Amino acid sequence: MGNARLIVLHTAGTPPRTALQIIKSARELGLQAKYVRLQDLNVMIENGEEKIFVRSIPLDADVAIVRGVGGPQSIEEYNLRFDMVKALEEKGTLVVNPYEGLIKARDKLRTMITLMKNGVRVPETIVTVNIDAALHYTEKWGKVIVKPIIGSLGRGVMLIDNVDIAYNIYRQLLAWYQPLLIQKYYEKKYNRDLRVLVIDGEPVASYYRVAREGSFKTNVAQGGKVVEAKPSEEILNIAIKSTESIGLFYAGVDIMETNEGTFVLEVNASPNWKGALQLGIDPSRILVEKILRKLKR
């Protein structure tokens, strides 16, 4: 579909590297492509019609790839950004990833519940604003991972093995009105996990992320080392099932292998693919090619 119009949405003032890669791939494949800040979208209801503008210029796009909705903000702004995504869908734009999937993937608790209900194993977890409940499970499990309920790139993730330290951390988080997401700690085999990039039902890249010495974090953004992987068909099917369960066209699925079994840790709706690029795989090109095929269906 030549001359299709594609936009990449993010909140950053300067386009992130992944956004630039998508735009480059789209233009090479004959699409008109540009970057748009999500905050610059406006919706107008006039004469019984819903209209979308980039600032004051009418927006007409066949495809919108959402690469980020920004960090913590007020609930009103959070809702508005997703409302803009929904408005694009309602106008007939192919939104990748779709609104419902983005909402679900953004919330770690909702993601885990959805995966569990679809037969995908996830770590034992408690989400609470009750410090007594949090301390009970911290003591029961002995060693826990504490995560922001909304977050990415391994930022704000803590490993805690002391109840007194946990008490002080939980008190501070609750004082900041942050819910506590606490997971039982599992020892990863070889101190690594597996990232599988799935696009339109197909695993297109798989690699281990090995934590640097002295760290439990395997995220490439946190210094994790990338090693090519050849997962079993069972593992690849878990990644595909996880992506489809959340309702995503593409995702980065993080899988942990332990002596207690295999668990899905995260399903990322706007995955960083630096690791895939290190292996010579260009997910931006594959993503745009598969979107073009979807437009032709």
Side-chain angles (χ1 to χ4, degrees), residues 9 36-42 52-54 59 84 88:
L9 291 170
V36 175
R37 291 179 73 233
L38 195 51
Q39 303 95 308
D40 290 336
L41 290 183
N42 305 299
I52 303 175
F53 294 83
V54 180
L59 176 65
M84 294 297 176
L88 282 167

Side-chain angles (χ1 to χ4, degrees), residues 182-195:
I182 303 164
Q183 294 182 325
K184 177 182 175 181
Y185 174 79
Y186 299 84
E187 197 76 41
K188 296 174 182 174
K189 289 183 178 179
Y190 311 109
N191 203 23
R192 70 187 186 190
D193 62 18
L194 178 69
R195 161 64 63 89

Side-chain angles (χ1 to χ4, degrees), residues 7-41:
I7 61 172
V8 180
L9 291 170
H10 199 283
T11 56
T14 302
R17 187 174 302 173
T18 52
L20 293 174
Q21 290 163 355
I22 292 169
I23 290 168
K24 179 176 180 289
S25 293
R27 289 174 177 170
E28 289 173 351
L29 290 165
L31 283 77
Q32 301 174 42
K34 64 179 180 180
Y35 177 74
V36 175
R37 291 179 73 233
L38 195 51
Q39 303 95 308
D40 290 336
L41 290 183

Side-chain angles (χ1 to χ4, degrees), residues 68-201:
V69 295
Q73 61 259 174
S74 69
I75 189 66
E76 292 84 2
E77 188 173 3
Y78 179 85
N79 286 339
L80 179 60
R81 291 180 184 179
F82 280 102
D83 284 343
M84 294 297 176
V85 173
K86 184 63 174 176
L88 282 167
E89 279 191 356
E90 291 173 343
K91 290 290 287 183
T93 300
L94 173 61
V95 177
V96 178
N97 274 304
Y99 169 81
E100 294 292 346
L102 283 173
I103 288 278
K104 204 171 286 182
R106 183 77 170 166
D107 183 334
K108 288 184 172 66
L109 174 59
R110 182 51 44 196
T111 294
M112 287 187 291
I113 290 172
T114 302
L115 292 174
M116 180 189 67
K117 287 184 175 180
N118 282 276
V120 176
R121 195 174 180 193
V122 296
E124 291 186 32
T125 304
I126 180 172
V127 179
T128 183
V129 292
N130 184 298
I131 195 166
D132 292 328
L135 291 171
H136 170 77
Y137 282 95
T138 301
E139 190 167 14
K140 175 183 176 181
W141 291 330
K143 205 171 186 179
V144 297
I145 299 291
V146 181
K147 299 179 178 180
I149 201 163
I150 296 175
S152 61
L153 303 176
R155 293 171 180 155
V157 179
M158 296 173 282
L159 173 62
I160 301 175
D161 59 3
N162 181 291
V163 175
D164 292 322
I165 291 173
Y167 173 76
N168 289 319
I169 290 172
Y170 298 166
R171 278 189 63 193
Q172 187 59 66
L173 289 171
L174 292 171
W176 291 334
Y177 302 102
Q178 293 297 309
L180 303 174
L181 191 158
I182 303 164
Q183 294 182 325
K184 177 182 175 181
Y185 174 79
Y186 299 84
E187 197 76 41
K188 296 174 182 174
K189 289 183 178 179
Y190 311 109
N191 203 23
R192 70 187 186 190
D193 62 18
L194 178 69
R195 161 64 63 89
V196 181
L197 282 173
V198 178
I199 304 179
D200 196 19

